Amino acid sequence: MSTPREVIVVSHPMVQHKLTLMRDKNTSTIGFRRLAREISLLMGYEVTRDLPLELVTIETPLETMEAPEISGKKLCLVSILRAGNGILEGMLDLVPAARVGHIGLYRDPHTLSPVEYYIKLPDDVAHRLVIVVDPMLATGHSASAAVTRIKQAGATNIRFVCLLSAPEGLAAFHDEHPDVPVYTAAIDRCLNDHGYICPGLGDAGDRIYGTK
Ligand code: URA
């Protein structure tokens, strides 16, 4: 059981360096997308750091040995569309056998509240460690709504991974879901009046897909 309201800032130099490149407004779409994939593999490394291992018997070309492999519950990655898919790719590079769910939420531009338009989760999500991915934890509303839906599907072991978070969003998210640890590469200063993280990196979806 994790500590309630846990926030893990991944301070690894490679993560911080890549994040700085992503923040830079002069980074191209191709560069941003590649960095999102690379940094999320590194974030995946941290979020899976404490997975339990068990010894299995294998044959190397030379002899029999007891070697460690990941035991227990298998993973399910859940991407919050659409920007979550930019993180999903790198996570799948790390855990290619993971099951994948998708939740489509958009922010109502006036209320900033999440509106669900799509959900598809694996049937056995209740029996898996669920890692929810979205690059930006801004107001925390989308993240909270997504985790609520995943809990309704029966999941009890959930972690949230983002690249940037705002203090307001972290507080709001943990008010709703104190049991869900958040892994983030940085906690930025604040949200602006439009719900964007400052200094931030802009609109993550637009930067990943080149839509603006
Ligand atoms: N979503 C984004 O893509 N960027 C922000 O700064 C906030 C929410």
Side-chain angles (χ1 to χ4, degrees), residues 133-149:
V133 298
D134 191 352
M136 311 300 272
L137 182 63
T139 61
H141 295 158
S142 299
S144 282
V147 169
T148 297
R149 295 291 272 119

Side-chain angles (χ1 to χ4, degrees), residues 83 107 134-139 164 190-192 194-207:
R107 281 205 297 183
D134 191 352
M136 311 300 272
L137 182 63
T139 61
L164 286 187
C190 63
L191 296 179
N192 70 12
H194 303 286
Y196 278 85
I197 297 176
C198 296
L201 51 71
D203 187 300
D206 281 339
R207 294 201 64 193

Side-chain angles (χ1 to χ4, degrees), residues 19-210:
L19 182 60
T20 298
L21 295 175
M22 293 179 80
R23 289 181 187 274
D24 188 336
K25 69 177 185 183
N26 294 315
T27 296
S28 65
T29 300
I30 186 171
F32 191 92
R33 192 180 297 156
R34 184 187 300 140
L35 286 160
R37 190 168 182 150
E38 292 170 356
I39 200 172
S40 40
L41 188 149
L42 299 172
M43 297 296 287
Y45 192 78
E46 286 298 328
V47 74
T48 54
R49 177 180 283 282
D50 63 350
L51 293 189
L53 295 170
E54 66 185 353
L55 293 178
V56 294
T57 306
I58 58 160
E59 304 276 342
T60 79
L62 300 178
E63 56 185 76
T64 302
M65 75 170 287
E66 301 282 298
E69 73 170 22
I70 291 172
S71 71
K73 291 182 183 177
K74 300 296 184 204
L75 295 185
C76 173
L77 305 174
V78 177
S79 167
I80 302 180
L81 300 174
R82 71 184 158 148
N85 280 5
I87 303 276
L88 183 62
E89 299 291 329
M91 293 274 189
L92 283 172
D93 288 342
L94 184 68
V95 195
R99 297 292 184 271
V100 177
H102 294 90
I103 298 185
L105 297 165
Y106 68 87
R107 281 205 297 183
D108 182 296
H110 304 294
T111 63
L112 302 184
S113 295
V115 182
E116 182 181 309
Y117 64 89
Y118 182 79
I119 182 161
K120 185 75 183 175
L121 300 173
D123 288 344
D124 62 352
V125 71
H127 305 295
R128 292 176 179 269
L129 165 61
V130 179
I131 299 175
V132 186
V133 298
D134 191 352
M136 311 300 272
L137 182 63
T139 61
H141 295 158
S142 299
S144 282
V147 169
T148 297
R149 295 291 272 119
I150 293 163
K151 286 182 175 175
Q152 285 168 354
T156 54
N157 191 6
I158 304 172
R159 300 176 182 186
F160 189 88
V161 176
C162 58
L163 301 183
L164 286 187
S165 50
E168 304 92 318
L170 284 169
F173 179 77
H174 273 152
D175 285 348
E176 293 284 322
H177 301 292
D179 56 311
V180 177
V182 174
Y183 291 73
T184 182
I187 303 172
D188 273 10
R189 191 179 66 250
C190 63
L191 296 179
N192 70 12
D193 292 344
H194 303 286
Y196 278 85
I197 297 176
C198 296
L201 51 71
D203 187 300
D206 281 339
R207 294 201 64 193
I208 291 166
Y209 297 112

